Amino acid sequence: MTNIDRETRCRKIVKELAKLDRFLEEGSIKQTGWVLNMEYSLFGSLGLIQKSKALTVPKELHIKFYDTLTAYRADLLHELVELNKEATHDI
């Protein structure tokens, strides 16, 4: 991986970690009755259609969301560490 690719990936990871940290800091994901607001885009015969939808997360499923997000965060941190190790060894 080139230095430019590595730097670009590091920036993307840091931005993603910041988003996850802000989201997880709110703490509402740990509570029952949690509502997930989704925004998505569809390509239809009329062109691009943007929609939003609220989903009330069933009891106990919020824990799986939290576990998935924290595992994803750990994977991102691991990747960031590995990228920094590569950069250090390339110098």
Side-chain angles (χ1 to χ4, degrees):
M1 184 179 280
T2 67
N3 284 338
I4 293 172
D5 293 340
R6 194 177 296 123
E7 288 175 23
T8 301
R9 181 64 186 145
C10 285
R11 279 192 210 107
K12 287 181 182 179
I13 290 173
V14 169
K15 286 180 184 178
E16 193 69 20
L17 285 170
K19 288 179 195 175
L20 282 170
D21 288 344
R22 281 193 305 272
F23 183 76
L24 293 171
E25 280 176 6
E26 291 177 7
S28 59
I29 194 171
K30 294 180 182 178
Q31 300 172 8
T32 57
W34 183 66
V35 176
L36 176 64
N37 291 313
M38 300 178 288
E39 293 182 9
Y40 56 95
S41 301
L42 299 170
F43 289 101
S45 58
L46 301 174
L48 179 65
I49 302 168
Q50 292 184 324
K51 293 187 173 193
S52 61
K53 192 169 201 165
L55 170 70
T56 302
V57 178
K59 189 175 181 178
E60 303 301 322
L61 186 58
H62 67 287
I63 295 169
K64 290 183 182 181
F65 273 112
Y66 180 78
D67 291 345
T68 300
L69 290 175
T70 53
Y72 177 58
R73 186 182 182 282
D75 290 344
L76 287 174
L77 284 172
H78 179 74
E79 184 181 353
L80 189 61
V81 168
E82 291 301 317
L83 286 170
N84 285 321
K85 282 182 185 178
E86 287 176 19
T88 304
H89 292 298
D90 285 351
I91 295 177

